[in-house]
Amino acid sequence: MKLWGGRFTKETNQLVHNFNESLSFDQKFYRQDIQGSIAHVTMLAKQGILSQEDKEAIVSGLEGILADLETGKLVIEPGAEDIHSFVEEKLTERIGEAGKRLHTGRSRNDQVALDMKLYTRDQIKEMDQLLYNLLEELLKRMEENLDTYMPGFTHLQKAQPITLAHHLGAYFEMFSRDRGRLKDIYERMNYCPLGSGALAGTTYPLDREYTAQLLGFYGPTLNSMDSVADRDYLIELLGAMSIIAMHLSRFCEEIIIWNTNEYQFVEIDDSYSTGSSIMPQKKNPDIAELIRGKTGRVYGAMVALLTTMKGLPLAYNKDMQEDKELTFDAMDTVKGCLLLFTGMISTMTFRKDVMENSAKKGFTNATDAADYLVKHGVPFRDAHGIVGRLVLHCLDKGIALDDMSLEEYQAISPVFEEDIYDAISLKTCVEKRTTIGAPGREAMEQVIKEYKKQLAERKVV
Ligand code: ARG
């Protein structure tokens, strides 16, 4: 049964119905649809637009439908056009006349705008919780690895020594900003569109402040046309989710590299790896690869919705129904990735010895050798040249800077003394870097204290 059959003389063509319907995907927010309807009729009754009996019949009818949907006693079968029609139809079947009064002073345009906002709000909270869990895990791993030396890279070439805690801390920062973005979006979107009607408000004396308050919004939206036509917040969220996916993807790329036979910096746990059907020796980082791969569909959803919205005249247009499948898929994808990623990190073995050995090779202390000369009065540009020659010499002999004799050092520059060895030791290179944000333990401990405070202050949105 269509909500709008009155004006029509023919049945909808079946293909048209199939193309037009949204029940197959908007049933995802049946809870929010019912929650919104309960708030709506509560307000209608308070305003004297609906009788107390009708309101009570509707509310208990809706609660019954919700309970039956939750337990599976009531199943959403194809037929209705959308979840809004489905709920209204069931309500009228169950409580009769009163059910037909549910939609007083409301349009599906403000209804769907509300449902999508309520659903999105819940999703933001879930995503924020998952980010929070990941940050907690990262922090734990950081504290365990304040002294785990490893090479830091630029251009994927060994650059300077850092610690694993410092490397993980970079991701801590990224995922913290991701939480910040979710919070910003939540703050901006949390205004209630209900009561905007189809586009021009209604002539009923609705109390929009009241419904907004019942539903936990900061207040009502202030322009009824914008209320039914705004999907900005979804595009913002798709943007924020794209950034989360990008951060996860970068991290996964590193884990995949670190997990190779050549690096062996980490070992992904058996429970988070898969094998090969033909090569018995294989243990593949499929989960990291899949998370990296899924980034594409999240970006895709963002571009798709931006494109859908770009030519739409005010106010509601059916094009906007396209927002749902895209956004739902992106939300489920990002949540799944966050969950799996956190599990993978928490079970992964970091091979401290391999990381440290790797840091010792590849001249990661060359900058420190140059700084040694600078501290002894050599201009930095000259020092750079001298150490370049040291590196050439080492490459020629297949040794590290630490392995050169003092005579070899002094043959290239007489400024070098016995204390050069201490100045370029891995420990010195890391621990002397104590400015805030640097990898030295002293600096890291301060930063970790700050991270702990941040996590304690804002558990979830
Ligand atoms: N399924 C529709 C959507 O997702 C609900 C709103 C329908 N409104 C309308 N005027 N046809 O956008």
Side-chain angles (χ1 to χ4, degrees), residues 74 98 128 148 150 181 196 214 236 250 280 397 411 432:
L74 177 61
D128 190 59
T148 306
M150 66 179 285
R181 267 180 282 275
S196 297
L214 286 179
E236 282 190 62
R250 288 183 80 172
K397 294 189 66 184
K432 283 272 159 67

Short mmCIF file of all heavy atoms in Angstrom, two decimals, residues 74 98 128 148 150 181 196 214 236 250 280 397 411 432:
data_model
loop_
_atom_site.label_atom_id
_atom_site.label_comp_id
_atom_site.label_asym_id
_atom_site.label_seq_id
_atom_site.Cartn_x
_atom_site.Cartn_y
_atom_site.Cartn_z
N LEU A 74 8.48 -9.68 14.24
CA LEU A 74 8.02 -8.97 13.05
C LEU A 74 9.21 -8.86 12.10
O LEU A 74 10.30 -8.44 12.50
CB LEU A 74 7.54 -7.57 13.45
CG LEU A 74 7.07 -6.64 12.33
CD1 LEU A 74 5.88 -7.22 11.58
CD2 LEU A 74 6.70 -5.27 12.90
N ALA A 98 -6.23 5.49 14.85
CA ALA A 98 -5.23 6.39 15.45
C ALA A 98 -3.93 6.36 14.66
O ALA A 98 -3.25 7.39 14.53
CB ALA A 98 -4.99 6.00 16.91
N ASP A 128 33.69 6.84 17.14
CA ASP A 128 34.56 7.52 18.10
C ASP A 128 35.03 6.53 19.16
O ASP A 128 36.19 6.56 19.56
CB ASP A 128 33.81 8.69 18.74
CG ASP A 128 34.74 9.55 19.55
OD1 ASP A 128 35.71 10.07 18.97
OD2 ASP A 128 34.54 9.68 20.77
N THR A 148 62.67 1.10 22.40
CA THR A 148 62.83 0.25 21.21
C THR A 148 63.32 1.10 20.05
O THR A 148 62.55 1.84 19.45
CB THR A 148 61.50 -0.45 20.85
OG1 THR A 148 61.03 -1.14 22.00
CG2 THR A 148 61.69 -1.41 19.70
N MET A 150 64.63 2.12 16.44
CA MET A 150 64.39 1.65 15.07
C MET A 150 64.77 2.78 14.12
O MET A 150 64.91 3.93 14.55
CB MET A 150 62.91 1.28 14.87
CG MET A 150 61.95 2.46 14.97
SD MET A 150 60.22 2.00 14.71
CE MET A 150 60.20 1.78 12.94
N ARG A 181 37.75 15.58 14.40
CA ARG A 181 36.89 15.86 13.25
C ARG A 181 35.48 15.32 13.49
O ARG A 181 34.49 15.99 13.20
CB ARG A 181 37.48 15.24 11.97
CG ARG A 181 38.36 16.20 11.19
CD ARG A 181 38.93 15.54 9.95
NE ARG A 181 40.04 14.67 10.26
CZ ARG A 181 41.31 15.09 10.38
NH1 ARG A 181 41.61 16.36 10.16
NH2 ARG A 181 42.27 14.25 10.69
N SER A 196 9.98 20.61 9.84
CA SER A 196 10.20 21.43 8.64
C SER A 196 9.20 21.07 7.55
O SER A 196 9.10 21.78 6.54
CB SER A 196 11.63 21.20 8.12
OG SER A 196 12.55 21.62 9.09
N LEU A 214 13.49 16.50 23.10
CA LEU A 214 13.17 15.09 23.35
C LEU A 214 14.17 14.16 22.67
O LEU A 214 14.48 13.09 23.18
CB LEU A 214 11.77 14.75 22.81
CG LEU A 214 10.57 15.27 23.58
CD1 LEU A 214 9.27 14.87 22.88
CD2 LEU A 214 10.57 14.72 25.01
N GLU A 236 30.63 15.78 4.99
CA GLU A 236 31.72 16.02 5.96
C GLU A 236 32.15 14.72 6.62
O GLU A 236 33.34 14.45 6.78
CB GLU A 236 31.24 16.96 7.08
CG GLU A 236 31.18 18.41 6.72
CD GLU A 236 30.94 19.24 7.98
OE1 GLU A 236 31.79 19.21 8.89
OE2 GLU A 236 29.90 19.90 8.05
N ARG A 250 47.74 3.95 5.46
CA ARG A 250 49.18 4.24 5.57
C ARG A 250 49.84 3.31 6.58
O ARG A 250 50.92 2.76 6.35
CB ARG A 250 49.40 5.69 6.03
CG ARG A 250 49.09 6.71 4.99
CD ARG A 250 49.40 8.10 5.51
NE ARG A 250 50.83 8.42 5.43
CZ ARG A 250 51.31 9.64 5.68
NH1 ARG A 250 50.51 10.62 6.03
NH2 ARG A 250 52.60 9.86 5.59
N PRO A 280 52.85 -23.65 0.71
CA PRO A 280 52.66 -24.00 2.13
C PRO A 280 53.37 -23.06 3.10
O PRO A 280 52.97 -22.96 4.26
CB PRO A 280 53.24 -25.41 2.22
CG PRO A 280 53.43 -25.88 0.84
CD PRO A 280 53.55 -24.68 -0.04
N LYS A 397 84.35 0.38 2.41
CA LYS A 397 84.88 -0.72 3.22
C LYS A 397 83.79 -1.66 3.75
O LYS A 397 84.09 -2.65 4.43
CB LYS A 397 85.66 -0.14 4.42
CG LYS A 397 86.92 0.62 3.96
CD LYS A 397 87.81 1.01 5.13
CE LYS A 397 88.43 -0.20 5.83
NZ LYS A 397 89.22 0.21 7.02
N ALA A 411 91.86 11.20 9.74
CA ALA A 411 92.41 11.39 8.40
C ALA A 411 91.48 12.25 7.57
O ALA A 411 91.90 12.97 6.67
CB ALA A 411 92.62 10.02 7.73
N LYS A 432 69.32 12.15 23.10
CA LYS A 432 69.67 13.58 23.14
C LYS A 432 68.57 14.43 22.48
O LYS A 432 68.57 15.64 22.57
CB LYS A 432 71.00 13.81 22.43
CG LYS A 432 72.20 13.41 23.27
CD LYS A 432 72.64 14.57 24.16
CE LYS A 432 73.45 14.15 25.37
NZ LYS A 432 74.77 13.59 25.06
#
